[in-house]
Amino acid sequence: MKFPIVEGSNLLRSKISLPADLQGKLNILFIPFYQWHQNLVDAWVPLARQLERDNPGVFYYELPVIRSMNLISRTFINEGMRAGIPNHTTRERTVTLYLDKEEFRQALDIPHEDTIYILLVDREGHVIWRADGVFSAEKGEALAAAVSMAFEQKFSVIGSSN
């Protein structure tokens, strides 16, 4: 499965194209659909930060998914989120996606919007691992293992010859 090509803006007001603009070799994507999902995302963030620190080349992003709407409505929502998030890095990595939610969910085989989805994707957008819902130690360990395994299988450099 591959992450669909979509465009959004981060909370620093920069246009972002996904998956092309993902910075990591591996990227942890948190996909919430409603404001009340933020608590679910927040429970996962400490692990994501730890995985970033421990694994150069791992980055995490929050991708709030909102139905398509006009520019004035998008600006109002984005500026409200921006006001509530003072951290520069969090603003940079929060990319709001205003799109056809049903089409987006179908592309990623997301059955409903009742919870968040967590995807581990490579730079090309290939989905390597996925989970949904509330953080648990089991899910956290599974994500950490998926990161380790992906680096071992795909990104490790055994040796080089010049």
Side-chain angles (χ1 to χ4, degrees):
M1 178 178 298
K2 199 163 181 192
F3 194 87
I5 296 170
V6 295
E7 293 192 356
S9 294
N10 68 16
L11 297 183
L12 295 178
R13 302 183 186 104
S14 297
K15 293 222 181 271
I16 305 291
S17 179
L18 301 174
D21 291 335
L22 294 172
Q23 296 176 36
K25 290 180 182 176
L26 292 175
N27 302 276
I28 302 165
L29 308 180
F30 298 109
I31 303 173
F33 293 93
Y34 300 104
Q35 196 281 327
W36 65 268
H37 286 166
Q38 189 61 49
N39 289 336
L40 297 172
V41 172
D42 291 345
W44 282 88
V45 167
L47 173 64
R49 286 184 179 146
Q50 184 67 47
L51 290 170
E52 271 190 350
R53 282 191 298 272
D54 294 347
N55 301 280
V58 171
F59 285 79
Y60 77 90
Y61 296 85
E62 296 183 35
L63 307 178
V65 175
I66 301 172
R67 68 176 171 78
S68 297
M69 52 181 58
N70 66 47
L71 179 62
I72 293 171
S73 297
R74 290 192 315 254
T75 301
F76 179 78
I77 291 171
N78 282 351
E79 291 305 309
M81 285 193 291
R82 182 177 156 79
I85 301 173
N87 181 280
H88 178 85
T89 301
T90 303
R91 284 181 175 182
E92 179 180 38
R93 297 198 200 167
T94 300
V95 180
T96 309
L97 303 177
Y98 294 94
L99 43 70
D100 180 328
K101 291 166 72 173
E102 181 67 27
E103 184 178 303
F104 179 78
R105 286 182 27 234
Q106 285 178 358
L108 290 170
D109 196 25
I110 294 175
H112 56 77
E113 300 176 13
D114 296 340
T115 192
I116 66 169
Y117 292 82
I118 304 91
L119 305 178
L120 179 65
V121 302
D122 65 15
R123 187 169 273 148
E124 293 77 38
H126 298 103
V127 178
I128 297 167
W129 179 89
R130 65 186 296 144
D132 62 81
V134 177
F135 175 81
S136 69
E138 271 184 11
K139 290 177 188 176
E141 290 168 9
L143 174 55
V147 167
S148 293
M149 187 177 299
F151 272 116
E152 288 171 11
Q153 291 179 354
K154 192 170 186 177
F155 302 114
S156 64
V157 176
I158 308 264
S160 62
S161 58
N162 293 338

